[in-house]
C-alpha cells in the first residue's frame, strides 16, 4: 500500500487531465457510494515515472491518497471501454487491499464481483456457480449498482 507521502512528486490529478479516466472513475465512485457509503470517493494520483522520457504514473487511490497495485497505462486513456476496464480493476485492487475487504460484493451471494464485458458493456459479474451459492450471473453494469 502506498500513500501520498511515500514517493517524490506524488500529486492529486486535477479533473480534466485524463477525461476518460475521470469518466470511468465517476462510474466506479457511484458504485462505491452505494456499496461503501462511509468511504469518500476514489481519486486519481500521479507521480513522475522512474524512467526518463516516460509519462507519469497514474493510480486509483482512496481519498487519503493510499493506493495499491499498478499504475494505469497511458494507452488505456484513448479508448472509453478499455479505460473503464482498467480503472475498475485498479479501483478493486485499491479498495480490496487498502480496506482489506472484497469490493464490490454480490448482495445475494456475499461473493466479490468481477468486472467483465457483457452485452457490449462492462458489468459486475458474480461467480455464484456452486450448489450452495447459486449460479453465475451479471449483477449490474459498472456504475449501476444503485439500480439493483
Amino acid at each position: 500500500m502506498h500513500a501520498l507521502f511515500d514517493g517524490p512528486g506524488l500529486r492529486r490529478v486535477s479533473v480534466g487531465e485524463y477525461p476518460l479516466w475521470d469518466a470511468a472513475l465517476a462510474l466506479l465512485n457511484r458504485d462505491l457510494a452505494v456499496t461503501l457509503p462511509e468511504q469518500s470517493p476514489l481519486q486519481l494520483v500521479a507521480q513522475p515515472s522512474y524512467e526518463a522520457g516516460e509519462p507519469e504514473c497514474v493510480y486509483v487511490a482512496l481519498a487519503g491518497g493510499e493506493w495499491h497495485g499498478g499504475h494505469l497505462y497511458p494507452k488505456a486513456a484513448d479508448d472509453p471501454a478499455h479505460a473503464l476496464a482498467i480503472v475498475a480493476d485498479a479501483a478493486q485492487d485499491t479498495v480490496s487491499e487498502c480496506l482489506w475487504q472484497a469490493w464490490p460484493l454480490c448482495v445475494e451471494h456475499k461473493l466479490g464481483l468481477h468486472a467483465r464485458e457483457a452485452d457490449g458493456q462492462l458489468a459486475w459479474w458474480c461467480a455464484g456457480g456452486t450448489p450452495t451459492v447459486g449460479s453465475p450471473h451479471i449483477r449490474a453494469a459498472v456504475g449501476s449498482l444503485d439500480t439493483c
Side-chain angles (χ1 to χ4, degrees):
M1 180 168 51
H2 305 279
L4 282 175
F5 50 82
D6 280 346
L10 192 63
R11 67 179 182 86
R12 291 186 174 160
V13 173
S14 298
V15 174
E17 286 183 65
Y18 298 97
L20 291 181
W21 289 344
D22 290 340
L25 194 59
L27 290 175
L28 273 295
N29 277 326
R30 286 178 53 184
D31 289 343
L32 186 73
V34 169
T35 57
L36 296 175
E38 69 283 359
Q39 290 297 315
S40 297
L42 299 167
Q43 64 181 333
L44 297 176
V45 295
Q47 71 181 125
S49 174
Y50 292 109
E51 297 182 34
E54 291 297 316
E56 68 183 349
C57 298
V58 179
Y59 303 90
V60 174
L62 297 177
E66 304 87 11
W67 84 87
H68 181 85
H71 62 89
L72 304 176
Y73 294 96
K75 290 183 182 181
D78 296 333
D79 172 48
H82 192 208
L84 180 56
I86 223 93
V87 172
D89 187 49
Q92 275 193 295
D93 282 349
T94 290
V95 171
S96 296
E97 294 296 329
C98 292
L99 300 180
W100 287 82
Q101 64 184 65
W103 178 81
L105 288 177
C106 174
V107 294
E108 181 181 349
H109 299 117
K110 306 297 185 235
L111 296 172
L113 298 170
H114 302 277
R116 106 172 356 178
E117 192 275 323
D119 298 326
Q121 65 181 353
L122 196 65
W124 293 117
W125 174 82
C126 173
T130 67
T132 58
V133 191
S135 60
H137 61 98
I138 297 294
R139 183 75 186 138
V142 170
S144 299
L145 285 175
D146 60 341
T147 63
C148 303

